[in-house]
Amino acid sequence: MTAKTLFAGALLLALTGTASAQTLTIATVNNGDMIRMQGLSDQFTEETGIELNWVVLEENTLRQNVTTDIATNGGQYDIMTIGTYEAPIWAKQGWLKPLDTLSADANYDVDDILPAIRGGLSLDGKLYAAPFYGESSFIMYRTDLMEKAGLTMPDAPTWEFIGEAARAMTDRANDINGICLRGKAGWGENMAFLTAMSNSFGARWFDENWQPQFNTPQWKETLDTYLSLMADAGPAGASSNGFNENLTLFQQGKCGMWIDATVAASFVTNPNDSTVADKVGFAQAPDTGLGKRGNWLWAWSLAIPASSQNAEAAEQFIGWATSKDYLATVAEAEGWANVPPGTRTSLYENPEYQAAAPFAAMTLASIDSADPTAPTVDPVPYTGVQFVAIPEFAGIGTNVGQLFSAALAGQMSADDALAQAQEATTRDMTRAGYIK
């Protein structure tokens, strides 16, 4: 019997006292690490007898689906995949069950979870979601194309350098775009990238009185830089591209650079999936010299809605999927470079992982440098790096994301998009009572 089996069995007895024939319905996102978890989950069912019903959705669809279900107490799911935005807000609403059994289990070792990630998933010291993988964002780039352009990527580049390099690497006759960036509308899609980018330009969503700031020079410089860069060096149809679409483009050799989630590093360097696996380098997210870089902080995590009738079995599955033993299971099947990153201190102390994952140190440094309590240059009344941690942000952020995506598609100017974002966000924040 393996250590993993012993852990699963011990946790099952602690939670239920007996074996179980329950079925858990799990809502998750169609990202690579989650698909891998689904593929390995037969081991969990074999060990426990608990059946799993998977609902795998595109990122924006998942967010809409689980938000509607939990807000209406729909009870459709036993486990939801959520992030550092939803966890504390939903916990405060009483919509999530605390993971008390996991937190008390010595084998699970909750203290091994990276402090920045654990803090973002907790409320009043209680853990309400367990991180499956954590991430910041950084630059992934083609070392061969950078060399061909006669440039050397600094470890910590500026946006000015990124613009120069992207334009120099662009070769549209050979279907090579100098840079691929998110354009698909959504508070967690293009606005995750653009909010993090705006922080490095000194922009804010709101001033200290909750007044929207889209009419400031900092936001104009952010959006103008983004639109110009994508027009000169980005792929066609970029307004439809999110994480998965850009991942595919990069793996196919069609992007010189890609600024996105650190979790993508293992996918772009995996020779089974990436045609450029041996030609990828990494650098910190860009800055403008103001003291903030354009990197975010996020963790896709597993949580139990208060409406679940199978909470004990659900917590057992979460314990299995987010444990140290699960990381070892993935390492055995796929290699250490492909384990879910960004959650546990012990992973970054593991010599096998360090040797297999050339991006490990920069991933950890990026996670550690993101500060949700001081995300941008000037003071703000909110927490969150690439989001604003208020319940209204999901709707407001998506509305603004649609405007900026339309500007990327050429349907309106940057000035019009910013003006409409200012007007709409002021209206929504006034209605919500933030602006008196």
Side-chain angles (χ1 to χ4, degrees), residues 70 79-80 82-83 86-100 102-103 110 113 117-131 301-306 315 318:
I70 203 164
I79 297 170
M80 292 177 168
I82 64 172
E86 296 95 346
I89 294 174
W90 291 3
K92 189 173 182 179
Q93 297 279 3
W95 293 350
L96 299 176
K97 296 193 176 186
L99 302 178
D100 291 336
L102 280 186
S103 297
V110 71
I113 298 174
I117 299 297
R118 181 179 175 184
L121 300 172
S122 300
L123 179 68
D124 299 329
K126 278 184 175 287
L127 188 69
Y128 281 86
S301 308
L302 303 177
I304 305 170
E315 191 165 0
I318 292 173

Side-chain angles (χ1 to χ4, degrees), residues 1-25:
M1 183 177 290
T2 66
K4 177 167 66 63
T5 303
L6 288 169
F7 171 66
L11 186 57
L12 175 62
L13 289 173
L15 289 165
T16 66
T18 63
S20 172
Q22 293 167 291
T23 297
L24 299 175
T25 299

Side-chain angles (χ1 to χ4, degrees), residues 35 41 63 70 85 185 205 222 239 299 305 320 359 378 397 429 434:
I35 300 298
S41 64
R63 289 192 167 111
I70 203 164
Y85 167 68
W205 266 85
T222 300
S239 61
W320 174 82
F359 44 80
D378 294 325
M429 292 297 283
Y434 290 85

Side-chain angles (χ1 to χ4, degrees), residues 47 100 110 122 139 216 224 264 268 281 298 311 338 364 374 383 386 394 400:
E47 292 165 7
D100 291 336
V110 71
S122 300
I139 304 165
T216 61
D224 282 347
V268 299
W298 184 257
N338 296 304
L364 185 60
T383 60
Q386 76 279 20
V400 174

Side-chain angles (χ1 to χ4, degrees), residues 264-328:
S266 68
F267 303 138
V268 299
T269 56
N270 185 337
N272 295 325
D273 301 317
S274 176
T275 63
V276 295
D278 60 344
K279 302 179 181 67
V280 183
F282 305 94
Q284 293 183 45
D287 72 354
T288 62
L290 297 178
K292 293 291 181 181
R293 293 197 167 274
N295 60 302
W296 63 63
L297 182 68
W298 184 257
W300 277 119
S301 308
L302 303 177
I304 305 170
S307 58
S308 172
Q309 300 301 307
N310 299 304
E312 293 180 347
E315 191 165 0
Q316 185 196 356
F317 176 81
I318 292 173
W320 174 82
T322 63
S323 67
K324 296 177 187 178
D325 288 329
Y326 178 80
L327 299 182

Side-chain angles (χ1 to χ4, degrees), residues 91-352:
K92 189 173 182 179
Q93 297 279 3
W95 293 350
L96 299 176
K97 296 193 176 186
L99 302 178
D100 291 336
T101 302
L102 280 186
S103 297
D105 190 281
N107 288 323
Y108 184 75
D109 192 8
V110 71
D111 291 332
D112 186 49
I113 298 174
L114 293 172
I117 299 297
R118 181 179 175 184
L121 300 172
S122 300
L123 179 68
D124 299 329
K126 278 184 175 287
L127 188 69
Y128 281 86
F132 184 72
Y133 69 77
E135 66 183 34
S136 183
S137 53
F138 60 11
I139 304 165
M140 295 157 276
Y141 68 95
R142 289 276 300 279
T143 55
D144 58 328
L145 295 181
M146 190 69 69
E147 182 180 358
K148 183 179 178 182
L151 298 170
T152 300
M153 174 70 81
D155 287 339
T158 64
W159 280 107
E160 182 179 4
F161 176 85
I162 294 302
E164 177 188 359
R167 292 173 174 94
M169 286 192 287
T170 297
D171 181 2
R172 293 205 166 120
N174 289 303
D175 204 14
I176 294 174
N177 307 284
I179 196 162
C180 294
L181 302 172
R182 297 189 186 194
K184 180 188 291 185
W187 71 263
E189 281 281 9
N190 65 337
M191 290 315 298
F193 173 80
L194 282 165
T195 300
M197 179 181 179
S198 77
N199 293 336
S200 68
F201 283 83
R204 301 179 287 180
W205 266 85
F206 305 103
D207 69 11
E208 292 178 280
N209 296 314
W210 291 104
Q211 293 287 341
Q213 298 293 291
F214 293 107
N215 57 357
T216 61
Q218 293 90 339
W219 262 110
K220 178 170 173 53
E221 187 177 7
T222 300
L223 191 57
D224 282 347
T225 300
Y226 167 76
L227 294 176
S228 174
L229 188 57
M230 293 297 279
D232 293 345
S239 61
S240 298
N241 292 347
F243 173 84
N244 283 322
E245 292 82 4
N246 284 327
L247 170 61
T248 298
L249 287 172
F250 194 97
Q251 288 176 325
Q252 292 174 347
K254 297 180 180 180
C255 302
M257 290 182 289
W258 180 29
I259 305 173
D260 213 297
T262 53
V263 71
S266 68
F267 303 138
V268 299
T269 56
N270 185 337
N272 295 325
D273 301 317
S274 176
T275 63
V276 295
D278 60 344
K279 302 179 181 67
V280 183
F282 305 94
Q284 293 183 45
D287 72 354
T288 62
L290 297 178
K292 293 291 181 181
R293 293 197 167 274
N295 60 302
W296 63 63
L297 182 68
W298 184 257
W300 277 119
S301 308
L302 303 177
I304 305 170
S307 58
S308 172
Q309 300 301 307
N310 299 304
E312 293 180 347
E315 191 165 0
Q316 185 196 356
F317 176 81
I318 292 173
W320 174 82
T322 63
S323 67
K324 296 177 187 178
D325 288 329
Y326 178 80
L327 299 182
T329 296
V330 175
E332 183 178 354
E334 303 281 350
W336 276 106
N338 296 304
V339 303
T343 61
R344 289 185 170 272
T345 300
S346 57
L347 179 64
Y348 291 90
E349 296 172 345
N350 184 330
E352 292 180 281

